[in-house]
Amino acid sequence: MTSIVTNLGAMAAVQQLRLIGASRLESQQQVATGYRVESAKDNTAYWSIATTMRSDGKALAAAEDSLGLGAAVVGVAYSSMNFAVGVVDEIKAKLVSARERGVNLAKVNAEIVELRNELYSIADSSSFNGENWLRRSSPADDVDKQMVGSFNRDANSNVAVTSLTYSFANAQGTNHLIDDVDGKGILTSPQYARELGTDTEWVLMKGRQSVGQIEFTLNQSTTTADIDEMISVTDRMLLAMTDVASNLGSMVSRIKLQENFVIDLQDSQARGVGRLVDADLNAASARLRAVETQGKLANQALSIANASPLAMLPLLT
């Protein structure tokens, strides 16, 4: 039935144009922004998940930065401790050579003094971002060092920051190489001599502030028994330094592994977010081309529908 009052064909064409316009707008938005879900109105559940994961990604990026800083601090301490082990090993060799007959003990002592100064230089230089793990300048330096390890969210959406901890405490007092306060450092502690039961509480060095320790000194009055005691104490110190270097090396490796894990976790989260909210640009472009074609056809259909009542005019004349 043809009606000049109600043009059903035109109404259907207009309705189709509205649907095509909405579809075109959606496809244009996806092509322009690259997102299938850009805001909560597009898909509440996916948008909520993606927003939370993006927030966690920023927290993981901050954890990665903290790990990088921690790696630098630990790396400096590790390298310096390794170098110090070599210097103390050289001092041990000098002491062994001092056991030979006819050796000028004063010259050997002068060499040991220079090596001792080198140890001071190593300890002084082992600082990064204001932190020095080889030198104890105050009791505050005994506090365990905490480094951000990662950011975690459990199944109940509870969040937590995990930490990596390095402790300075050991049986002799502290893992610091040199102690300028009260003789707790590896090279400044008389505890090793006490453990060996030597007649003298030898230390390799006193630290900047002497607290009464008896520093290794070779002169013509030094006995072979004294030298033997110095060698034994030095050996114990080397063992302690080796343990510290091993712990620092393990921490360097752990931080590197944690860095790689955090980076992989960020990538995984980014891929997960992408699967939820990113648009398939190929498909979106194809849909946009299709709806543009549909729009042209709908406009033609509307033109035909609007022209239909005009066909009745010849019947009325």
Side-chain angles (χ1 to χ4, degrees):
M1 181 186 76
T2 301
S3 171
I4 62 172
V5 178
T6 304
N7 191 334
L8 297 178
M11 292 173 61
V14 169
Q15 179 64 25
Q16 188 63 28
L17 279 171
R18 288 198 188 98
L19 295 174
I20 291 171
S23 182
R24 179 191 293 115
L25 180 61
E26 180 182 356
S27 297
Q28 285 175 335
Q29 244 182 338
Q30 291 184 14
V31 171
T33 64
Y35 288 115
R36 178 167 57 92
V37 180
E38 185 182 12
S39 60
K41 65 182 178 58
D42 299 323
N43 187 309
T44 303
Y46 281 6
W47 178 84
S48 177
I49 294 171
T51 300
T52 301
M53 291 180 70
R54 287 191 185 110
S55 177
D56 290 354
K58 291 179 181 178
L60 284 171
E64 182 187 351
D65 292 339
S66 297
L67 281 168
L69 180 60
V73 174
V74 178
V76 168
Y78 173 66
S79 298
S80 298
M81 184 61 77
N82 274 337
F83 197 80
V85 167
V87 175
V88 175
D89 199 39
E90 185 66 21
I91 290 175
K92 179 181 173 183
K94 297 295 181 185
L95 290 170
V96 172
S97 68
R99 288 281 277 105
E100 299 178 9
R101 287 187 179 183
V103 172
N104 189 323
L105 294 182
K107 289 184 178 180
V108 175
N109 188 71
E111 292 177 325
I112 291 176
V113 169
E114 291 303 317
L115 292 170
R116 184 183 291 137
N117 289 334
E118 179 64 20
L119 289 169
Y120 278 121
S121 178
I122 292 170
D124 288 337
S125 303
S126 302
S127 181
F128 186 90
N129 194 34
E131 291 194 44
N132 190 325
W133 289 15
L134 266 63
R135 185 151 215 151
R136 182 175 182 263
S137 301
S138 72
D141 293 332
D142 295 335
V143 178
D144 292 350
K145 298 298 182 181
Q146 300 281 343
M147 290 169 286
V148 174
S150 185
F151 173 85
N152 304 315
R153 180 185 297 275
D154 64 20
N156 297 318
S157 291
N158 298 315
V159 297
V161 177
T162 59
S163 299
L164 304 178
T165 304
Y166 179 78
S167 176
F168 290 103
N170 68 14
Q172 284 67 40
T174 177
N175 284 324
H176 290 96
L177 191 64
I178 297 173
D179 178 17
D180 291 328
V181 184
D182 51 14
K184 288 184 177 180
I186 295 174
L187 302 181
T188 54
S189 173
Q191 186 63 34
Y192 299 98
R194 293 171 188 164
E195 291 175 355
L196 290 168
T198 61
D199 294 334
T200 305
E201 292 189 345
W202 300 105
V203 296
L204 181 55
M205 52 210 312
K206 295 181 178 180
R208 295 300 188 192
Q209 299 176 10
S210 175
V211 291
Q213 303 102 316
I214 301 174
E215 200 171 65
F216 290 179
T217 303
L218 300 178
N219 51 49
Q220 297 308 315
S221 63
T222 303
T223 66
T224 55
D226 290 336
I227 297 174
D228 287 341
E229 289 181 357
M230 294 179 197
I231 293 171
S232 297
V233 171
T234 304
D235 188 65
R236 284 293 184 93
M237 291 177 174
L238 272 171
L239 291 174
M241 292 172 68
T242 302
D243 287 342
V244 174
S246 297
N247 292 335
L248 290 171
S250 297
M251 180 156 280
V252 168
S253 298
R254 184 181 177 190
I255 289 175
K256 185 61 179 175
L257 289 172
Q258 190 67 20
E259 278 186 303
N260 292 336
F261 169 71
V262 169
I263 291 171
D264 288 345
L265 188 57
Q266 288 181 80
D267 291 343
S268 297
Q269 288 195 351
R271 286 193 295 269
V273 170
R275 291 190 183 100
L276 291 177
V277 302
D278 287 356
D280 184 339
L281 291 182
N282 290 330
S285 298
R287 283 196 302 272
L288 181 59
R289 181 63 61 89
V291 295
E292 286 175 347
T293 302
Q294 291 171 6
K296 291 177 182 179
L297 293 174
N299 278 319
Q300 290 181 359
L302 180 60
S303 297
I304 294 171
N306 286 333
S308 178
L310 297 177
M312 298 180 61
L313 288 177
L315 301 176
L316 302 175
T317 57

